[in-house]
Amino acid sequence: MRKLLVLLSMTPAMCFAKLPAGLPCASWPTNVAEVKLQNAGVFKITQLDESKTKAVPIAIQSIGKDLYRQVFDITLYAHSGEKFHVVTVNNASSTECSMSDVDIYVVSQKFDAQVP
């Protein structure tokens, strides 16, 4: 986990201007993260305020013909105000979000750039 966070902090800003239609695809990794965290007992999906969910692409890299590796910073919000931060990694194509399983990394603490 620490290596992933160090890697992500060193990753330069990416330009997504030439991605095919349908990318980035945040629905698949977000849904899988919700289910896996519920199965792990972190929360119940019914506790989440889906309207506040945020999935921000960190990186998208071409790894084959119409195959892309996506990395997302996803924030899930409970109705109580509690936040759950995860980083997901999965493969997607221009027509299919679920070209691979989703690796999910729970972030125990997130330091925003605006907060000293």
Side-chain angles (χ1 to χ4, degrees), residues 52-55 73-77 83-86 110:
K52 293 182 179 179
T53 297
K54 293 181 184 176
D73 174 7
I74 300 173
T75 306
L76 306 168
Y77 295 84
K83 294 181 192 178
F84 303 93
H85 297 283
V86 297
K110 183 176 178 184

Side-chain angles (χ1 to χ4, degrees), residues 46-106:
T46 56
Q47 295 174 305
L48 297 179
D49 183 348
E50 298 283 342
S51 69
K52 293 182 179 179
T53 297
K54 293 181 184 176
V56 179
I58 296 173
I60 300 175
Q61 176 186 17
S62 176
I63 58 171
K65 184 175 179 169
D66 194 31
L67 188 61
Y68 299 85
R69 174 137 316 124
Q70 303 183 124
V71 180
F72 279 95
D73 174 7
I74 300 173
T75 306
L76 306 168
Y77 295 84
H79 293 290
S80 67
E82 188 175 6
K83 294 181 192 178
F84 303 93
H85 297 283
V86 297
V87 173
T88 62
V89 180
N90 73 291
N91 297 340
S93 73
S94 62
T95 58
E96 181 60 50
C97 295
S98 58
M99 297 297 289
S100 74
D101 290 335
V102 180
D103 292 327
I104 302 163
Y105 303 89
V106 176

Side-chain angles (χ1 to χ4, degrees), residues 110-116:
K110 183 176 178 184
F111 297 94
D112 292 321
Q114 295 80 19
V115 179

Side-chain angles (χ1 to χ4, degrees), residues 35-48:
V35 170
K36 287 198 176 189
L37 291 175
Q38 175 176 268
N39 291 346
V42 176
F43 54 69
K44 292 185 179 183
I45 291 177
T46 56
Q47 295 174 305
L48 297 179

Side-chain angles (χ1 to χ4, degrees), residues 5-43:
L5 294 177
V6 170
L7 174 67
L8 293 175
S9 68
M10 297 181 345
T11 305
M14 305 294 277
C15 177
F16 304 119
K18 296 183 181 183
L19 291 176
L23 289 175
C25 182
S27 60
W28 172 247
T30 300
N31 292 338
V32 171
E34 289 175 350
V35 170
K36 287 198 176 189
L37 291 175
Q38 175 176 268
N39 291 346
V42 176
F43 54 69

